[in-house]
Amino acid sequence: MKKIFLLLSLSILFSCKEENHPYTFYYWKTKLALNAIENRALEKASTPYIYVRFFDVDKVGAKFQPVAVITKDNTFKTSKQTVPVIFITNRTFLNIKQEEITFLAKSISDLIEKKKSDYQLKTSNEIQIDCDWTAGTRDDYFRFLNELKKTSGKEITSTLRLHQVRDRKVMGVPSVSKVYLMCYSTSSPLENSDKNSILDVPLLKNYLSKLENYPINNIAVALPIYSWGIVTNHAGKHKLINALSKKDLERREFKKITENEIEIQNDGFYFGNFLNKGFRIKVEEISEDQLKEVIKFLDKKIKNYEIVYYQLDSKFVDRIL
């Protein structure tokens, strides 16, 4: 009965958005697997794609390294086409040479094809690159995008962060036909702040005040449906615990400080971590009202956009119901 309720609620959650904006999901786990709720949610999504992080790329010493390459079990079955997403650290492009750009593009293309073959994935003609490039790396990053397009023969798309829109004269514009506007992670959760680090709507509106002038017309929007807890110790240092909700904080071992924050009353193991008395946990999650406000704002800036929700996980879907 609970699963049926969750699926019905999920349908209600996305129905209002689907009327104007086709939607699907990011999948950002290292192991490809789907439970019943995730599989049903994906099949109800109104675009024929799912965006799957295949692996990360980082520069370790002087060498480019694939990190956290996907594996797959037999529960990952879907009629959707898989769009490979590759996250590349910005430092990968620092002081990179042209021959290294060529090598990197070929290596990434080859590894995508290997994973596609190994796991018999039905992939689309698109590869999405996720990189928080800077003014110092932009030219080499843009050259890499062109090289990857030539090497792979695929359509290459790029993520786009809020500051890259606001500061586009400094940050440049990637040489792609489509970008994915990342409307989350608006600040660091490890800083002392009373703002929601997942999504600060006033900040988003400020950064995107001139979005309608961005020179790429084909813009998709990535929206958050995840949550986490931020633990603060006695020294003021922070760590994250993924997928916590306000409901998780309703325990007798916790003293409520605010609606979203508690103080631990006894040393012990909580959510898989040993936490001391006096530590505080603040939950950050996204409400339906916040998502509606962002969509309403974006509707005035760009037209006919699709939404990709981050991410497909029954814990996060359950939390937004």
Side-chain angles (χ1 to χ4, degrees), residues 3 7 10 23-25 27 29 33-45 50 74-80 312-314 317:
K3 288 185 177 180
L7 291 170
L10 175 63
Y23 75 90
T24 188
F25 300 92
Y27 188 96
K29 302 174 188 176
L34 293 174
N35 63 32
I37 293 173
E38 293 159 353
N39 187 66
R40 297 271 187 91
L42 180 58
E43 293 309 308
K44 286 178 179 292
I50 175 174
N74 58 13
T75 65
F76 193 85
K77 297 177 181 178
T78 176
S79 63
K80 304 292 185 180
L312 181 61
D313 187 311
S314 57
V317 169

Side-chain angles (χ1 to χ4, degrees), residues 245-260:
S245 69
K246 286 188 288 187
K247 187 175 181 180
D248 292 323
L249 302 185
E250 296 173 359
R251 299 175 58 160
R252 56 187 174 85
E253 301 96 330
F254 300 158
K255 176 183 177 182
K256 189 172 183 179
I257 304 299
T258 68
E259 183 180 353
N260 299 318

